[in-house]
Amino acid sequence: MRPVRRPRAAEHAVAAALLLLVGTACGSRLPESDFEHDTRAPTQNSTPLRVGIVTSATSPVGGNTFTGPQDGAKAYFDRLNARGGIDGHRVEVRECDDGGSGVGNNTCVHRLLDEDKVVALVATTALDYAGASRVSHARVPDIGGQPIGAAYDTWPHLYGIYGSLAPRNGTPGWDGELYGGTEVYRYFKREKGARTAAVVSYNQSSSAAYARLVQRGLEAEGYKVVTEQVDFALPNFRAAAADLKEQGADLVFDAIDTHGNAQLCKAMDEVGAKVIAKVTNVQNWASTVPDDYKDSPRCRNALWATGSSRNYADTGNAAVREFRDATKGLKTHSQWQLEGWAAAMWFTDAAKSCASTGITRACVDGFMNRSENYTADGLLVPVVFERLAEPPKTRRTCLSVARWQDGKGWVSQGDMNSTCFDVPQLAYEP
């Protein structure tokens, strides 16, 4: 059976782990006639193609938390323009920082669609994608966005970086429920022999909800689950670390922020808790590990990350080498940067397919809607967009896995196109 990717619950719940409730608010629904204009590239190749990037760069979560995909996409377009652009057209990037708010997001969407008249949005990374419905009704393709919240499983013309199986008819998922698989838990059980897992969360609603989802997935895979909840205002990580040590946890998952993770790891080192893996998500798959976990060398070297894109540190791969060469001026590197790079490549491939007839929103959207098993030159596990009437009960899903090692950085664990599992799909509410 072919390798297939679909969004994992963990990837949909980044915002939950960041302790913020993220929903898809309905933006202004304007008549489609308000958006009717010809965005086809003129025959003069000196006319640029405009794309928009919406990022919650100054969100309440903190500076630079969401800027990785934007940085990767801009690096790709810079290199593309240096090589002549698309059919001679330079790509002109219009950025908009929505401040992490729904109001700001709607403002960005209005500016980019109606004033800047972008052909597409690329690598959207919005804490509150309130303008998603407006983008959809304008039939503007949103390519390779990060699924923070449910927008990419709700609206047509929105194409998240991990694909979607949902009907995308204006309701999240299937009747308001999304589905995620248990492949991460299956991996550590089969490949590492893990049997007991701890799940650490705050006593805060979204953190606790995400922790319950992780717990359900672990229990479905037959794990003994140890739950540890700490106070959001005055967290006692040492007590949690001592208990998970006492309970013999092989793995540690969490629904807490980066700072909390660093404190948890420090506490685990202090109490002598040794685990097979301290598992983190794609957002924390970055070169900042030595600084973020400077006080916990043992726990730091037990960090593992899972995702659906090729390890940004795997420079043995030609596509990764090109990404790293183009981003060598950045102070740090991350998996989200690589995924932003892949999103820009996806737009470029779509636009190139339209060059002979005119690079319009409709043509680019048609390419995206036909996308099947897209890999961005091997950087992504094959992406699929299907509109299934019923949610799948099981799914074959492939994983990219890496672990941190001091002196080596993030080291890939096997090939992502062959680390695949047939796993159950569990429902959850976004």
Side-chain angles (χ1 to χ4, degrees), residues 392-406:
K393 291 183 172 58
T394 62
R395 193 71 178 173
R396 183 167 179 79
T397 309
C398 301
L399 272 177
S400 177
V401 184
R403 64 169 299 184
W404 179 267
Q405 291 180 268
D406 285 349

Side-chain angles (χ1 to χ4, degrees), residues 289-314:
V289 166
D291 291 331
D292 294 339
Y293 298 89
K294 62 181 182 298
D295 297 323
S296 45
R298 182 186 296 117
C299 181
R300 180 173 68 237
N301 282 278
L303 287 175
W304 290 63
T306 63
S308 297
S309 53
R310 192 172 299 279
N311 182 5
Y312 80 87
D314 185 9

